[in-house]
Amino acid sequence: MTDTTPDTTSDPNPATSPEPAATDDAARCPYGYDRLPSPVPLYGPAYKRDPYPLYRRMREAGPVHRVEFPSGIHAWLVTGHRAAHAALNDPRLGKNHSLGNDNWRRLASIMPEPQHSQLQVHLLHQDPPKHTSMRRLVLDAFAPRRVESLRPRFQELADALVDELPKSGGADLVAGFAAHYPFRVLAEVIGLPSELAERFDRDWGKVVQPVGPQDPGRPAYEARLRGLQTYIADVVARKRLDCREPGWVAGEDLLGRLVRAHDEGELSRAELDSMVFQLLVAGQEPVTNQITTMLVTLLRHPEQLARLREGVDEPGRLARAVEELLRHDAAFELTTWRFFAEDSDLFGTVVPAGDSVIVSLCAANRDDEQFPDPDRLDLDRTPNAHLAFGHGIHYCPGAALARAELQVALATLLTRLPGLRPAEAPGDGLADLTWIPAVLARGVNRLPVAYDHRH
């Protein structure tokens, strides 16, 4: 199926748009593309607020769809749990941006040069054998046993933030908690000194929401990149000094271990900076977003919120709830780009070499072939083979850490803020939330709530 002109209906969300007539292109596709626009636009407030009706239509029509992103780039979106699982494990699909074709590079919302070459050669954009060697450097820091040993510290950090919330009435749980908790945890885990942690500007986290070359927000985006790049250089310089201190322990200092790997020839300077970039940004912003999606889901289901609060100390109850909340509305909505090195068949559709292939994790997690009654929130659902952390060789190396953070955050907020409910002031209700416009992610930047009092 060739690249096509974007759909020009007034409503960019095909979940509410009229179904167009079949086209010549549709005859090439065995999965009924005539039932959806081609390409399917993946943008607009309605889509970001609730993409799941659209994803249902796409799954019903077939596993692969031509889609369009805000920058104008077209890609192939994989939907459905079985297809997503297969694509995530398909060795033909590479992650290195060098595989992208000229059209993708011209329009994709990716970093400009020189930052693209200096900050984007991290794990998410590498293939074996380089990916294998780079991943090995970080695994020990995020190992489940180490994460569990740090859980009491995570609890201290969560309690400290709740202590700063108003004693009664309500608060914005993004500004007061979710925006800060994941970064404070991350700093502890990777060995970021407190003075450098205090200098980190959360606005830099928006660099994971790239904008296209023609977007009016591009200059501000590039300014964030330059600021973050200067900060990364300071981090590397500081950790190089730390590594030379007597008593330095590599197992307790991931950043220092990466700097030493560079100094010993295992990493290039671009690879080192890219891995630090990935840790600082990708290691915290998705958790911030996931805390918000979990809270929004629970606030929309007050009876289940109340039952979870009552049973939060029951063995396994909290862990099962977090897994279901990850499945029901994952913050990492779509994977990053993948590419075929040559024209290839993908579930019956021929994808040209260098076109981008993206897997919809959220669509896969609502597939009724895998999950009975998938749109229903079931906090005791088991088994729960969701794909919120991906699968295969690019499965999130920080999954154990994210799970621990989310469990601590959720339990702390539910137990210390009795009566937690949506804010009641005009413009502050759940229906008024503005979802972030990020291409790949879900979450809100503001979440006003009310509660009886703070414990």
Side-chain angles (χ1 to χ4, degrees):
M1 204 171 179
T2 57
D3 214 350
T4 54
T5 303
D7 178 66
T8 56
T9 57
S10 59
D11 185 346
N13 186 353
T16 58
S17 300
E19 295 181 357
T23 65
D24 292 340
D25 261 355
R28 295 181 54 193
C29 177
Y31 295 114
Y33 281 116
D34 57 308
R35 298 162 66 183
L36 288 163
S38 181
V40 179
L42 296 186
Y43 52 85
Y47 165 73
K48 294 307 298 184
R49 182 168 56 251
D50 183 8
Y52 294 103
L54 171 60
Y55 288 154
R56 184 186 310 114
R57 286 182 61 192
M58 295 176 83
R59 283 195 309 270
E60 291 170 351
V64 182
H65 298 272
R66 193 69 163 154
V67 297
E68 181 184 58
F69 291 103
S71 69
I73 190 70
H74 292 178
W76 301 91
L77 189 74
V78 178
T79 62
H81 192 278
R82 184 181 303 176
H85 186 278
L88 293 170
N89 289 277
D90 192 332
R92 300 174 302 162
L93 283 166
K95 297 293 292 291
N96 197 301
H97 282 184
S98 64
L99 294 168
N101 58 31
D102 290 341
N103 187 56
W104 173 81
R105 195 171 300 279
R106 180 176 61 87
L107 289 174
S109 294
I110 58 175
M111 284 185 187
E113 294 293 355
Q115 286 88 2
H116 185 271
S117 297
Q118 296 167 346
L119 296 177
Q120 290 290 280
V121 286
H122 49 65
L123 284 171
L124 277 176
H125 301 152
Q126 295 286 0
D127 300 309
K130 172 58 72 173
H131 173 268
T132 308
S133 61
M134 292 175 71
R135 186 180 175 94
R136 191 179 298 121
L137 291 171
V138 306
L139 287 180
D140 286 350
F142 301 121
R145 180 176 297 181
R146 180 169 188 257
V147 168
E148 283 305 307
S149 73
L150 293 170
R151 191 182 282 255
R153 178 58 178 154
F154 300 166
Q155 185 64 61
E156 291 176 0
L157 295 171
D159 282 331
L161 284 166
V162 173
D163 287 343
E164 297 174 6
L165 295 176
K167 291 184 177 181
S168 62
D172 175 1
L173 287 186
V174 176
F177 187 88
H180 307 288
Y181 174 65
F183 185 74
R184 294 186 184 185
V185 167
L186 182 71
E188 295 276 340
V189 173
I190 67 177
L192 184 66
S194 57
E195 60 271 26
L196 282 171
E198 291 172 1
R199 280 181 47 201
F200 187 85
D201 185 348
R202 184 172 179 256
D203 190 60
W204 293 335
K206 295 178 182 177
V207 298
V208 297
Q209 303 172 21
V211 295
Q214 310 306 318
D215 194 289
R218 184 76 164 198
Y221 175 77
E222 293 179 357
R224 293 187 190 102
L225 275 176
R226 290 190 294 271
L228 180 57
Q229 204 165 17
T230 299
Y231 179 82
I232 289 172
D234 291 344
V235 170
V236 169
R238 167 60 189 272
K239 299 314 291 185
R240 181 167 286 115
L241 293 175
D242 289 350
C243 292
R244 297 169 183 167
E245 290 292 322
W248 177 77
V249 180
E252 298 176 1
D253 186 357
L254 175 56
L255 290 172
R257 189 157 72 250
L258 293 177
V259 171
R260 176 161 287 188
H262 165 264
D263 293 351
E264 294 177 351
E266 292 183 63
L267 297 173
S268 69
R269 181 56 193 254
E271 289 166 350
L272 169 62
D273 288 354
S274 294
M275 292 186 76
V276 175
F277 164 84
Q278 185 181 17
L279 288 170
L280 292 175
V281 179
Q284 53 128 352
E285 196 70 14
V287 182
T288 291
N289 289 335
Q290 190 67 64
I291 292 172
T292 71
T293 64
M294 287 183 166
L295 289 171
V296 169
T297 298
L298 288 173
L299 291 169
R300 286 173 172 167
H301 298 81
E303 293 182 359
Q304 298 207 47
L305 186 156
R307 286 199 298 271
L308 179 58
R309 179 191 289 116
E310 293 170 0
V312 73
D313 293 326
E314 296 176 12
R317 184 73 186 279
L318 180 63
R320 289 193 301 273
V322 166
E323 296 306 306
E324 173 67 351
L325 290 163
L326 283 163
R327 182 201 69 84
H328 193 267
D329 199 8
F332 224 118
E333 183 174 1
L334 308 175
T335 65
T336 52
W337 319 97
R338 284 169 164 79
F339 310 92
F340 287 115
E342 57 188 24
D343 294 358
S344 301
D345 178 87
L346 186 64
F347 310 114
T349 296
V350 176
V351 175
D355 270 17
S356 55
V357 175
I358 292 178
V359 178
S360 175
L361 303 176
C362 283
N365 287 338
R366 294 283 191 101
D367 189 344
D368 59 5
E369 291 188 4
Q370 177 68 30
F371 305 100
D373 199 2
D375 293 328
R376 180 172 65 90
L377 181 68
D378 179 1
L379 297 182
D380 288 312
R381 185 184 296 269
T382 185
N384 198 340
H386 65 75
L387 299 176
F389 293 113
H391 205 274
I393 65 170
H394 289 284
Y395 180 81
C396 176
L401 174 61
R403 284 184 163 106
E405 289 180 82
L406 294 168
Q407 290 170 15
V408 171
L410 202 55
T412 303
L413 293 171
L414 291 183
T415 56
R416 295 201 56 195
L417 302 178
L420 184 65
R421 57 193 181 274
E424 300 170 356
D428 283 349
L430 295 180
D432 302 305
L433 293 175
T434 299
W435 291 79
I436 60 174
V439 172
L440 306 179
R442 287 185 55 70
V444 295
N445 283 329
R446 185 170 176 269
L447 182 55
V449 298
Y451 48 85
D452 298 336
H453 59 275
R454 167 172 57 79
H455 273 322

